[in-house]
Amino acid sequence: MLMPKGFKGTHEQIGTGKPAVVFVYNPNLVSSTTQTEQMNEARSHLGDNVFFLLAREATPEGEAFIAKYRARPNELLLFDPAGVLIKRQAAVIGANELMLWVR
């Protein structure tokens, strides 16, 4: 159950003063790999100004997140610094658009 490097599968950082992008991740989908690559590209420009997190399907933490927010497979959710869900969209979203989401 490997996670892509640089991502947390826990969600306690949501609502801690920075925007958070959470991706519903399934390692069996090519689009999940593509989306995490785009998230890493956005992170390389944004640095520590935003949290990039995963809700991995078939894990206790991921399934709890998916149920709480009624998230769909391969969906990205954006939370404001206070932890309010403000946007959601199906993947794949490019790095440039992700950067616009959080600015």
Side-chain angles (χ1 to χ4, degrees):
M1 297 253 276
L2 294 174
M3 297 281 280
K5 289 184 181 181
F7 293 97
K8 287 188 176 185
T10 58
H11 310 105
E12 67 275 353
Q13 292 174 314
I14 296 171
T16 60
K18 296 180 189 177
V21 175
V22 183
F23 176 52
V24 179
Y25 177 81
N26 181 326
N28 298 316
L29 298 176
V30 172
S31 56
S32 284
T33 301
T34 303
Q35 186 61 68
T36 55
E37 290 169 352
Q38 293 301 305
M39 292 168 75
N40 277 328
E41 175 68 21
R43 182 190 352 244
S44 73
H45 295 282
L46 297 169
D48 294 333
N49 296 316
V50 61
F51 296 116
F52 288 98
L53 309 170
L54 299 180
R56 183 175 171 150
E57 294 179 3
T59 66
E61 298 88 357
E63 291 299 326
F65 177 90
I66 291 164
K68 180 176 182 178
Y69 295 101
R70 297 180 183 205
R72 297 176 184 230
N74 237 23
E75 187 173 45
L76 286 106
L77 294 86
L78 173 64
F79 295 86
D80 72 8
V84 176
L85 176 61
I86 57 173
K87 187 169 187 161
R88 58 193 321 149
Q89 185 174 322
V92 169
I93 300 172
N96 289 333
E97 187 174 349
L98 283 172
M99 289 185 287
L100 291 174
W101 270 29
V102 297
R103 290 196 173 153

